Short mmCIF file of all heavy atoms in Angstrom, two decimals:
data_model
loop_
_atom_site.label_atom_id
_atom_site.label_comp_id
_atom_site.label_asym_id
_atom_site.label_seq_id
_atom_site.Cartn_x
_atom_site.Cartn_y
_atom_site.Cartn_z
N GLY D 103 0.34 23.18 -1.73
CA GLY D 103 -0.91 22.69 -1.16
C GLY D 103 -1.03 21.19 -1.08
O GLY D 103 -2.04 20.68 -0.58
N LYS D 209 5.96 1.42 7.27
CA LYS D 209 6.28 0.25 6.46
C LYS D 209 6.67 0.64 5.03
O LYS D 209 7.42 -0.08 4.36
CB LYS D 209 5.08 -0.70 6.41
CG LYS D 209 4.80 -1.41 7.73
CD LYS D 209 3.61 -2.34 7.60
CE LYS D 209 3.31 -3.04 8.92
NZ LYS D 209 2.12 -3.93 8.81
N ALA D 270 5.61 -11.93 -19.46
CA ALA D 270 5.75 -12.31 -18.05
C ALA D 270 4.89 -13.53 -17.76
O ALA D 270 3.98 -13.87 -18.52
CB ALA D 270 5.36 -11.16 -17.14
N ASP D 273 0.88 -17.19 -14.09
CA ASP D 273 0.40 -17.81 -12.86
C ASP D 273 0.75 -17.03 -11.61
O ASP D 273 0.14 -17.20 -10.55
CB ASP D 273 0.94 -19.24 -12.73
CG ASP D 273 2.46 -19.30 -12.81
OD1 ASP D 273 3.05 -18.40 -13.42
OD2 ASP D 273 3.06 -20.24 -12.24
N LEU D 300 5.38 8.81 -23.66
CA LEU D 300 4.62 9.85 -22.97
C LEU D 300 4.83 9.73 -21.47
O LEU D 300 3.93 9.40 -20.70
CB LEU D 300 3.13 9.75 -23.32
CG LEU D 300 2.79 9.96 -24.80
CD1 LEU D 300 1.31 9.73 -25.03
CD2 LEU D 300 3.19 11.36 -25.23
N HIS D 309 -4.32 3.92 -8.93
CA HIS D 309 -4.72 3.01 -10.00
C HIS D 309 -4.26 1.58 -9.75
O HIS D 309 -4.62 0.67 -10.48
CB HIS D 309 -4.17 3.50 -11.35
CG HIS D 309 -4.89 4.68 -11.90
ND1 HIS D 309 -5.73 4.62 -12.98
CD2 HIS D 309 -4.94 5.97 -11.49
CE1 HIS D 309 -6.24 5.82 -13.25
NE2 HIS D 309 -5.75 6.66 -12.35
#
Side-chain angles (χ1 to χ4, degrees):
K209 290 180 181 179
D273 55 334
L300 297 176
H309 285 252

